[in-house]
Amino acid sequence: MKRRTIMTAGIAGAGVFGIMIASAAPPSKTGFDAEIARHGQAMLEEGKKTFRYETFGSEAFWGDALQLHKAIAGEKNGGVGPGVSPKTALSVGLKVDADALPAALKKELAAGKVNLDDPATTIALLKLNAVVGVTAFANPDGSVKSMGIQCAFCHSTVDNSFAPGIGKRLDGWANRDLNVGVIVSLAPNLKPFTDLLGVDVDTVKKVLASWGPGRYDAELDKDGKAFRPDGKQAGTLIPPAFGLAGVNLATWTGFGSVTYWNAYVAGTQMHGAATFVDARFNDKDQYPVSAKSGAGNTRNTPDKATAKLAALHFYQLSMPAPKAPAGSYDKAAFERGKTLFNSTAKCATCHVPPLYTEPGYNLHAPSEIGIDAFQADRSPTHMYRTAPLAGLWAHQKGGFYHDGRFATLPDVVNHYDTQFKLNLSNAQ
């Protein structure tokens, strides 16, 4: 009895401190906790592999149908035309993964002993899986027979640590150098586009040329709107794929979540063997092209994408927004700006920290934010998303908003100052 009393008194004496120690015990490494940990790590690795290297069978479109690999190889290498040299590839925004290069090749590149004007060098890089977002498929004799693309094609870049356009991968970073339109226009066979849109090759090339670096039109194959009413290009800036954990709607106009967009892109933009279902695209008035093509009910057998969506989603949500490098900004000005952001300027009303978008339904009508409805009306939502701002320093090239209409951040602030009558001073 005495011993029990002493033990009880000891526990009582420990109080809250004792409870805190007990609750701070490491999680169990057995049972379902361990299964969750193993599953999470497996999902992360599988998702990374999918993001970087999975074509979803898109080579049937980019290679077999468009014959784009032939334009890259050039006539001297079994293709057509002059071919695409590494210099040309880098100039249109394609990136090279330095970690995929053999040490000997790196030494030769550094010494200037590799011919970067020869398309054969591009083919060699493709065979090494060194061109970010692009995979080549070879014949037994070594010649290239097809090519496909990956998520990383648009949503990865490199840190330029080896040379401009060559370095370590930066997954999730928007490639604002990538000129998708110019690359696609090189394809020897644009008939899949002319047939879908009901226009001639020259018109297709005009549209592709209009986008420019860092832009892409993911609705063209749904509504056929190649240009804005004012004649300007209709594409949007390639968005980053990082910092999206906790964010509800993931596209400029809120089509759907991250995993919705993965299915949309895999099935209707990458043209992979995928399943994508959204009856909203059957609307003949808003989406005459997809209503005819049946894109809103895309089904392929075998389906090479759906089984990959979960891990891909997991990996994407694991990508943090990159922090600005130390010394790259004025810390005192940062603190002053943070105070304004959260108070007088009212930025945090919509860009709620730390997500920097609204938790929940993060969409607004065009009239609310004071801009035209063109891009919003191409979406089933007819609205614009509050874009997450974390990591904004990493994707300023091309401007701000969905179409880059504001060249600088002060332009954005001035717009909202006028729209919401904030009456900010020049100093603010």
Side-chain angles (χ1 to χ4, degrees), residues 142-156:
S143 60
V144 178
K145 67 176 181 180
S146 192
M147 60 163 282
I149 61 173
Q150 294 97 26
C151 303
F153 183 65
C154 290
H155 300 288
S156 285

Side-chain angles (χ1 to χ4, degrees), residues 354-380:
L355 293 178
Y356 297 102
T357 187
E358 294 100 336
Y361 194 66
N362 52 338
L363 295 183
H364 294 274
S367 59
E368 289 183 69
I369 55 179
I371 66 170
D372 66 89
F374 173 73
Q375 200 66 39
D377 286 344
R378 302 182 74 191
S379 165

Side-chain angles (χ1 to χ4, degrees), residues 140-287:
D141 65 359
S143 60
V144 178
K145 67 176 181 180
S146 192
M147 60 163 282
I149 61 173
Q150 294 97 26
C151 303
F153 183 65
C154 290
H155 300 288
S156 285
T157 183
V158 296
D159 63 5
N160 301 320
S161 55
F162 186 87
I166 307 174
K168 294 183 177 298
R169 287 176 181 258
L170 296 172
D171 282 352
W173 293 46
N175 187 350
R176 294 286 174 84
D177 297 319
L178 187 68
N179 200 322
V180 180
V182 166
I183 294 169
V184 175
S185 69
L186 296 174
N189 179 32
L190 292 173
K191 194 171 186 295
F193 293 115
T194 59
D195 288 350
L196 177 68
L197 301 172
V199 297
D200 58 27
V201 170
D202 288 341
T203 300
V204 169
K205 288 188 174 183
K206 179 181 177 181
V207 173
L208 293 173
S210 73
W211 297 344
R215 289 184 173 84
Y216 176 72
D217 190 344
E219 290 81 51
L220 178 62
D221 66 328
K222 307 297 187 300
D223 62 14
K225 294 181 179 179
F227 294 95
R228 292 168 46 93
D230 59 10
K232 295 181 180 179
Q233 64 87 29
T236 60
L237 288 169
I238 296 171
F242 55 59
L244 295 178
V247 175
N248 181 25
L249 300 173
T251 62
W252 292 118
T253 54
F255 275 37
S257 65
V258 173
T259 197
Y260 169 97
W261 196 244
N262 288 339
Y264 178 95
V265 171
T268 74
Q269 304 306 300
M270 292 172 64
H271 299 276
T275 297
F276 170 74
V277 180
D278 189 340
R280 295 178 295 181
F281 293 113
N282 298 331
D283 185 333
K284 294 181 180 179
D285 294 326
Q286 186 178 6
Y287 300 112

